[in-house]
Amino acid sequence: MLKTLIIKIILKLTIYQFNRIPQLIFKYDSWNCVPFIQRKYAVDIVRYLKQNKDMESVIDIGCGTGDIIRRLPFKKKYGYDKHINVIRGLHFFSFFLNKGPPIITNQFNFSVDKLTGKYDAIIIIDFTQNIEPTILKETINYYFKNNLRKNGVIITDTFYNDPDRKYSHDIINLIKYKHTIDEISNTDNGRVKVYSIKKI
Ligand SMILES: C[S@@+](CC[C@H](N)C(=O)[O-])C[C@H]1O[C@@H](n2cnc3c(N)ncnc32)[C@H](O)[C@@H]1O
């Protein structure tokens, strides 16, 4: 307990403060300053996707400053986000920390814009709490059918009756096409679960 507290304080005094500088320059949400290693779900996603050596392309929708996608050693990397300012932050951090090729970025609204291209992994994480469930279901199914390669995965999160989050999402019946599901992370005392949904 004491050890965890000390680590948190050290992170706050070091990485968090470093992250504040680009946040103030590019003027994006301060949430993006929370260090990667303090976000278990993000660490788990990176660990999980790194094991899938056959995958070549990954797109992270709602990528923020790119904490996840910058750490993935894929051949083709795409980082899309609704806010141009976090995309600017992503490019700043990519200068110091980006494994693999440059990340192709785009200003993109999950609820509105149409996704093109096909990918081995599609990440949709930590913003779906603000997406209305029927829109989420419709959009994820569209991606699953049209934008995901065979044996590819969609990584996404669900929330159950969480007072801090606007909408709840359920993994059961989310995808209407043939698939398998793996739970790859579990945070906030089980209130948030992260799944890998594989196209078979
Ligand atoms: C809490 S941050 C999470 C960033 C990243 N996914 C992560 O987990 O490290 C949420 C991000 O989703 C983006 N976002 C929110 N709604 C979105 C939407 N409808 N379409 C695309 N991006 C969105 C925000 O701009 C923000 O950068």
Side-chain angles (χ1 to χ4, degrees):
M1 197 71 176
L2 182 68
K3 200 174 152 198
T4 314
L5 186 69
I6 292 170
I7 290 172
K8 276 189 178 167
I9 292 170
I10 291 171
L11 287 173
K12 193 114 187 152
L13 291 174
T14 52
I15 303 176
Y16 186 90
Q17 295 312 325
F18 171 74
N19 286 352
R20 283 279 289 165
I21 301 166
Q23 188 247 330
L24 291 172
I25 295 171
F26 298 114
K27 298 184 176 57
Y28 51 75
D29 202 289
S30 64
W31 180 93
N32 289 282
C33 299
V34 180
F36 169 77
I37 47 170
Q38 245 184 295
R39 287 183 289 127
K40 181 179 178 300
Y41 76 90
V43 175
D44 289 342
I45 291 170
V46 169
R47 190 182 299 127
Y48 173 82
L49 284 176
K50 274 182 162 179
Q51 289 165 4
N52 289 274
K53 307 271 182 222
D54 296 340
M55 293 189 176
E56 296 197 338
S57 56
V58 56
I59 181 162
D60 187 350
I61 298 174
C63 60
T65 50
D67 271 351
I68 295 173
I69 195 153
R70 283 187 279 105
R71 290 174 167 85
L72 295 174
F74 282 47
K75 283 192 184 143
K76 289 180 192 158
K77 310 207 291 179
Y78 302 84
Y80 286 12
D81 200 283
K82 189 162 101 168
H83 292 117
I84 194 70
N85 289 357
V86 285
I87 293 177
R88 292 189 178 121
L90 179 150
H91 286 295
F92 170 81
F93 285 110
S94 296
F95 191 75
F96 308 97
L97 177 85
N98 178 36
K99 292 200 170 126
I103 301 164
I104 297 163
T105 55
N106 198 1
Q107 191 173 12
F108 181 90
N109 187 336
F110 173 84
S111 316
V112 178
D113 297 319
K114 192 170 168 193
L115 186 64
T116 56
K118 284 204 175 239
Y119 311 90
D120 293 307
I122 300 175
I123 305 168
I124 303 161
I125 209 80
D126 207 16
F127 70 89
T128 60
Q129 61 268 32
N130 296 317
I131 307 285
E132 206 270 316
T134 51
I135 293 183
L136 182 78
K137 193 167 174 171
E138 197 180 298
T139 311
I140 286 201
N141 275 286
Y142 182 90
Y143 292 176
F144 194 90
K145 183 169 183 263
N146 301 292
N147 305 106
L148 190 65
R149 293 216 168 93
K150 190 158 184 237
N151 295 320
V153 293
I154 287 185
I155 307 288
T156 195
D157 44 5
T158 61
F159 317 92
Y160 299 99
N161 300 325
D162 185 341
D164 298 334
R165 293 179 167 90
K166 191 171 174 188
Y167 294 113
S168 281
H169 298 302
D170 196 344
I171 194 71
I172 307 292
N173 301 324
L174 180 66
I175 302 291
K176 56 185 182 192
Y177 303 104
K178 236 178 147 187
H179 66 280
T180 57
I181 297 175
D182 264 341
E183 185 182 311
I184 61 171
S185 191
N186 185 323
T187 57
D188 282 12
N189 297 322
R191 282 182 301 170
V192 181
K193 292 186 179 185
V194 178
Y195 294 97
S196 167
I197 309 167
K198 184 173 183 179
K199 188 172 187 173
I200 51 173

